[in-house]
Amino acid sequence: RHSAQASLRSGSADARRSLVVPPTSAAAHRPCTMPEAGTKCAQRVRCANGFFTFLGAIVGLLVTAQGVLVFVGVALGHDDAPDDFWQGCRWVAHGSLCVGIGLVCCALEIKSCLPQVKFHLGWFFANRIGLALLYLWVGCYAAGGALRNGPEWAVRLGHATGILAWVVGLSHIVLAGCAERPQKEEPTVEDKPVAESNDVEADAQVEQQQAPAAGSPTGEEAQTMAVAHRSAGRIRGDALHRKAACSPGSGADPV
């Protein structure tokens, strides 16, 4: 009887272990999605934004150079000196406007490279549209040249600055809604062992929760043991009954 119970207990334990699904680590449930910043389209948009940002900074420097040329042109004899006070005021305002607009263009292009702007769609859109309108105005203003009666190279410089400003302005309008997505940081070499150890600990905890306690019978084992106990009880009861019936004082035939 004991050997039958042991065989039933081992068979039920083996069946239970075969039905248990092996636990998986938390890393196996992590979605394997490709970041959008790694796609070819995102890379091209990022390169285009960087290229036209660089051209915008060049436009700002050219406009600033034209403002400086307004001030030094009179000293170098490239432009006529103002005749009276009113022309002098206009001369100062013209040079200051070129220098100020150029510096503002450079500052806004540098600001567009900050994470608070290039990773935020609203701020990036406002930056691109504002710069686009500014470049369209700069193209019209700088196309005639900074000097009224300057040399031919100064006039050509103004034309080139105006055309380049128009190109950058139109490109900023096209790319206004193409803000970059922040790239997900991959774990470094030092962080990977820590992550793997955390996964191993999680797996061990899951196995401990799913595994039964040592020495405690399962449902099938408890049922088998109850049946065996009832059978043993009936056998003992029958033996006692026969013993009582065969005793000398009972009057029953021993045979």
Side-chain angles (χ1 to χ4, degrees), residues 73-178:
V74 176
L76 297 177
H78 295 312
D79 198 5
D80 299 335
D83 299 333
D84 53 12
F85 174 77
W86 305 112
Q87 291 184 1
C89 292
R90 185 184 180 280
W91 171 70
V92 173
H94 180 50
S96 302
L97 181 63
C98 291
V99 173
I101 292 296
L103 295 178
V104 168
C105 292
C106 293
L108 291 178
E109 292 293 357
I110 294 174
K111 187 176 181 180
S112 67
C113 299
L114 299 178
Q116 294 83 356
V117 177
K118 68 178 182 178
F119 293 148
H120 192 280
L121 181 60
W123 288 111
F124 185 79
F125 182 82
N127 180 274
R128 296 291 97 177
I129 295 298
L131 277 174
L133 297 177
L134 183 60
Y135 284 133
L136 294 177
W137 178 86
V138 166
C140 298
Y141 183 79
L147 303 178
R148 292 177 297 172
N149 300 319
E152 185 67 19
W153 62 267
V155 177
R156 300 298 181 187
L157 180 63
H159 293 169
T161 303
I163 294 173
L164 187 60
W166 288 333
V167 172
V168 175
L170 293 176
S171 67
H172 281 3
I173 293 176
V174 174
L175 299 174
C178 300

Side-chain angles (χ1 to χ4, degrees), residues 14 31 37 69 72 76 80 90 98 107 126 140 168 171 180-181 194 197 204 220 236 252:
D14 294 337
L69 186 61
V72 302
L76 297 177
D80 299 335
R90 185 184 180 280
C98 291
C140 298
V168 175
S171 67
E180 298 183 16
R181 296 289 183 89
V194 177
S197 62
E220 295 180 358
R236 285 195 298 270

Side-chain angles (χ1 to χ4, degrees), residues 34-46:
M34 180 181 295
E36 296 186 12
T39 61
K40 293 182 179 180
C41 182
Q43 291 178 357
R44 291 175 182 176
V45 170
R46 184 168 60 250

